[in-house]
Amino acid sequence: LEDGMIRIAFGGTSTKAIESIMSPEAIQNDGPNGINSYTLGQYANTDKSSGDPCAVDENDPNLSYKFGTMCNETVIAQTFSKELAAEYGKVIGNYSLWSNLTIFWGAGTNLHRTPYNARNHEYYSEDAMLTSGQAVAYIAAGKEYGVIIAPKHLAFNDTEINRTGVAVFMTEQQARENELRGTQASIEDAGALGIMTAFNRVGCYTANAHTGLLMNILRKEWGFQGLESQDFIMNPGYSVLKEYALNGGTMTTFTGDNDMAAVSEKFTYWAVDNVSQDTDMLNAIKQAMTWQAYALANSNAMDGYAPTTHLVSVRTWYDNALTGAQVALAVLTVLSAAMYINSVRKSKSKKN
């Protein structure tokens, strides 16, 4: 139970590993111009003796390269070429193998509803059919290499300004014939194994906890069986973790230590004593972990695993450095507060 609760609550930058079922950490990436979150060498395997065909030399001068150099999806869509979109997917897939970066939030399936949307560079076009064809070719080609190219943002992310909480209203016909079509094709035709929800509301309900959209349409009607992340919501109240999990969510964008104390600090309700008595929540967590484990099991995150492989979590040097910096800053904060209080007391004693 704790493994599932931690993995749903903390999914930012990467999924949490679950050693008991050999489900690995999978690194996420964002960027409309290619995988740009990390350099090639940050997570690449530099052990040439490991037998990994995609291992790189630790002295390779390209390890500092960042793959944020491609044209965006709008430009590719303007060619009306599914073949070109597929070639882009193959490039993403190949790079994913060498860099050990499995999840890419890279297929923008929203529409250009207004020329002033600052996210238009992430989306293909204003046309639902063009968007569908491009996204399917792109995602399916990348999937051949085991990379999870996930469509975003589900759904109706039509503006960048005030998108947190903006309420979008439309008829069901408009939604199905236009806004949802690109994402639908990504799931049904390309078999996408990941998806990102939106910041905005759908009518009066937040998109990341909308039963009609996330359960009835995405999961039940389209048959989506993959991992699901929120957009970069860093407000525990707005992420509505309980409702999100009940509606098929598998991970948020929060980060923290791999333990329940760190999780419960951000989400008060998300404690074992509470969740263990909630039958609906227990079933939702079990299902969410099934979906997430299925997606990762069918990705290149499992490359190199054998029946004798053992998964072990280790702390990197930068994990230790970050913890040290946090401790040092905490000590400095306490000392600063003590010095301030002492200064105030001295000032008052001089006045007296």
Side-chain angles (χ1 to χ4, degrees):
L1 176 59
E2 289 189 9
D3 285 339
M5 292 174 68
I6 293 169
R7 195 172 227 188
I8 293 176
F10 288 162
T13 67
S14 65
T15 65
K16 292 294 186 183
I18 301 181
E19 297 175 26
S20 59
I21 60 171
M22 293 294 292
S23 187
E25 177 187 29
I27 311 299
Q28 302 177 49
N29 303 268
D30 206 354
N33 302 95
I35 295 174
N36 194 49
S37 300
Y38 307 103
T39 61
L40 169 63
Q42 184 155 345
Y43 291 99
N45 181 9
T46 56
D47 183 4
K48 298 288 284 185
S49 65
S50 63
D52 181 357
C54 293
V56 296
D57 192 285
E58 61 182 3
N59 297 314
D60 192 314
N62 297 307
L63 294 183
S64 60
Y65 171 70
K66 267 193 174 184
F67 180 44
T69 56
M70 301 293 286
C71 63
N72 61 36
E73 292 170 11
T74 307
V75 175
I76 295 175
Q78 287 171 342
T79 69
F80 292 84
S81 172
K82 295 179 183 179
E83 291 76 15
L84 186 60
E87 287 299 318
Y88 188 17
K90 292 176 183 178
V91 171
I92 292 288
N94 189 48
Y95 186 85
S96 171
L97 290 172
W98 289 96
S99 60
N100 279 331
L101 303 175
T102 297
I103 304 171
F104 181 50
W105 308 110
T109 52
N110 292 104
L111 299 183
H112 293 179
R113 297 288 297 166
T114 167
Y116 304 110
N117 182 359
R119 282 297 176 102
N120 278 352
H121 66 291
E122 293 193 346
Y123 306 146
Y124 287 105
S125 73
E126 74 283 2
D127 183 86
M129 294 305 296
L130 176 58
T131 295
S132 298
Q134 291 281 306
V136 167
Y138 178 41
I139 293 169
K143 193 177 177 183
E144 294 179 5
Y145 294 78
V147 62
I148 298 175
I149 300 178
K152 63 178 183 179
H153 308 82
L154 186 66
F156 320 119
N157 190 134
D158 298 333
T159 179
E160 185 71 10
I161 299 174
N162 299 325
R163 66 183 180 134
T164 304
V166 64
V168 181
F169 290 86
M170 67 188 69
T171 65
E172 183 175 352
Q173 181 180 2
Q174 151 67 11
R176 288 184 176 275
E177 290 184 357
N178 293 287
E179 300 283 351
L180 295 179
R181 184 163 286 185
T183 308
Q184 179 181 3
S186 299
I187 304 303
E188 293 183 340
D189 299 335
L193 290 173
I195 198 162
M196 180 187 287
T197 62
F199 266 106
N200 53 273
R201 296 177 183 273
V202 180
C204 298
Y205 297 92
T206 55
N208 59 310
H210 194 288
T211 303
L213 179 64
L214 301 183
M215 290 300 292
N216 296 346
I217 294 178
L218 175 65
R219 294 288 185 183
K220 296 178 181 178
E221 185 177 324
W222 296 347
F224 178 63
Q225 299 184 54
L227 56 86
E228 177 184 320
S229 176
Q230 297 183 357
D231 201 348
F232 202 63
I233 297 172
M234 298 307 291
N235 181 320
Y238 194 72
S239 72
V240 288
L241 181 58
K242 178 182 177 182
E243 291 77 11
Y244 175 63
L246 287 170
N247 284 290
T250 69
M251 60 187 185
T252 72
T253 56
F254 289 85
T255 59
D257 291 336
N258 198 20
D259 57 58
M260 283 305 302
V263 171
S264 299
E265 185 179 342
K266 284 188 170 65
F267 304 100
T268 306
Y269 169 83
W270 211 243
V272 173
D273 289 343
N274 293 331
V275 173
S276 62
Q277 300 178 50
D278 187 333
T279 303
D280 290 337
M281 186 59 71
L282 288 172
N283 289 333
I285 292 173
K286 180 179 179 180
Q287 181 62 78
M289 290 300 95
T290 301
W291 283 323
Q292 184 134 322
Y294 174 80
L296 295 180
N298 286 277
S299 75
N300 59 33
M302 300 297 292
D303 285 3
Y305 275 53
T308 56
T309 300
H310 293 281
L311 185 64
V312 179
S313 297
V314 297
R315 288 181 62 85
T316 64
W317 67 266
Y318 46 84
D319 288 326
N320 296 328
L322 182 59
T323 300
Q326 290 173 332
V327 171
L329 288 172
V331 171
L332 287 173
T333 301
V334 172
L335 288 175
S336 298
M339 291 172 66
Y340 174 75
I341 293 172
N342 187 47
S343 175
V344 171
R345 286 177 176 175
K346 287 183 179 180
S347 179
K348 285 181 178 180
S349 64
K350 287 181 180 179
K351 289 180 180 180
N352 295 333

